[in-house]
Amino acid sequence: MTWETDRTGHTRGLATGVALVLALTVPGASLEAQGVLVDEGEFRLMVRGLEVGSETFAIRRSGTGAEVRFTAQGRIVMEAPEGRLEIATTLGAKGVAAEPTGYQRNVSGARVEIVSFSLLGNRLVVRISSDAGEEMREVQVPAGGLLLEETIAHQFHFLVARYLAGDTRIQAIRPERRAVSILELDERDPTTIQTRGGRIPVRRLRVTEGSRVWEVWFDTRGRVLRLENAVEGFRAERVSAPT
């Protein structure tokens, strides 16, 4: 999840005033305790067969139809090559396509970084602050675009929902690369997976982005149970079956 960026010419030092108030950056974030709970749970995170951490999350919905809004919040605790990291994320989205309205990711521990997206017309304004400096840039938001970090499992909930609504090709905003890419979705043969609650039937979606491939397992209600990138050795597994 490292941002690769040229810091040349940027102001150095992380000013405390740089961090935006989360409720302002991501509309709806202050409504954490309100709305309908869509899904919540925990994933254990594996890299090349070794458990490196966990991801807990909650996704809530308010409103209906075209006015529906979502708030997806997650907390990741993991051992990275540079040391222990804690990552808190909040994603705001609107409409049946879950188009982003804002995003914030706070990283603390061995590395300190604040990344925030705020919507301005059809552009997302990106602000990145760390001990190495500060950067701002804009990312054009395509119509129907979906914000998705490739190793944050709960965000794939929205990708699955789009697939179940009939989408097989999605433009995804990739915060870790500050770019927009095309995702191709193709369902594979259904299977079963083992959880603490027993073995349950699941559907399996193959997500292709150029030469990169993810597999997403989800249940009959569209809840993500496993995310895997076999080439890079990454896997997120649901700790227990959702009820």
Side-chain angles (χ1 to χ4, degrees):
M1 302 178 197
T2 302
W3 288 72
E4 297 178 357
T5 178
D6 181 2
R7 305 288 184 179
T8 304
H10 294 148
T11 303
R12 300 191 63 81
L14 178 58
T16 56
V18 165
L20 301 180
V21 176
L22 195 59
L24 298 178
T25 305
V26 183
S30 60
L31 303 179
E32 176 182 354
Q34 302 179 28
V36 177
L37 183 64
V38 176
D39 193 12
E40 66 176 344
E42 180 180 356
F43 293 92
R44 65 172 186 155
L45 307 179
M46 314 283 291
V47 175
R48 305 203 181 282
L50 298 176
E51 187 166 353
V52 297
S54 65
E55 172 186 336
T56 54
F57 73 95
I59 301 172
R60 291 179 171 83
R61 179 186 71 241
S62 61
T64 59
E67 300 303 315
V68 68
R69 288 185 175 268
F70 299 93
T71 301
Q73 296 179 302
R75 179 175 180 267
I76 296 168
V77 179
M78 64 179 297
E79 294 296 331
E82 65 264 48
R84 182 182 175 86
L85 296 177
E86 293 191 16
I87 304 167
T89 67
T90 298
L91 168 63
K94 65 178 181 178
V96 293
E99 297 179 85
T101 57
Y103 184 56
Q104 182 153 321
R105 180 182 65 199
N106 291 0
V107 182
S108 60
R111 172 166 52 90
V112 176
E113 182 177 73
I114 300 171
V115 179
S116 63
F117 279 50
S118 54
L119 191 66
L120 181 63
N122 64 341
R123 295 167 294 156
L124 281 176
V125 179
V126 187
R127 187 167 188 163
I128 310 165
S129 304
S130 72
D131 290 332
E134 181 179 333
E135 177 186 1
M136 291 186 69
R137 73 171 56 191
E138 295 179 356
V139 175
Q140 195 76 18
V141 180
L146 189 70
L147 189 144
L148 193 69
E149 294 221 50
E150 58 195 49
T151 55
I152 298 184
H154 75 270
Q155 293 178 2
F156 280 75
H157 167 90
F158 299 107
L159 181 140
V160 169
R162 292 280 295 272
Y163 173 75
L164 293 176
D167 289 343
T168 57
R169 191 172 189 267
I170 294 174
Q171 295 190 75
I173 302 161
R174 309 297 261 163
E176 64 271 30
R177 285 183 257 136
R178 305 187 304 282
V180 174
S181 60
I182 302 296
L183 304 181
E184 303 283 351
L185 312 181
D186 176 35
E187 188 160 358
R188 320 302 287 177
D189 292 336
T191 183
T192 62
I193 63 172
Q194 182 68 42
T195 71
R196 287 183 183 174
R199 184 163 290 277
I200 59 175
V202 293
R203 296 169 67 177
R204 186 163 54 105
L205 190 63
R206 184 181 179 92
V207 182
T208 305
E209 180 188 25
S211 61
R212 312 185 76 195
V213 178
W214 290 263
E215 298 275 351
V216 185
W217 287 258
F218 59 97
D219 67 9
T220 56
R221 292 175 55 184
R223 296 172 296 188
V224 175
L225 302 180
R226 181 184 295 172
L227 170 67
E228 180 174 334
N229 182 324
V231 173
E232 297 181 10
F234 174 80
R235 175 183 286 189
E237 295 181 340
R238 194 82 169 233
V239 170
S240 59
T243 57

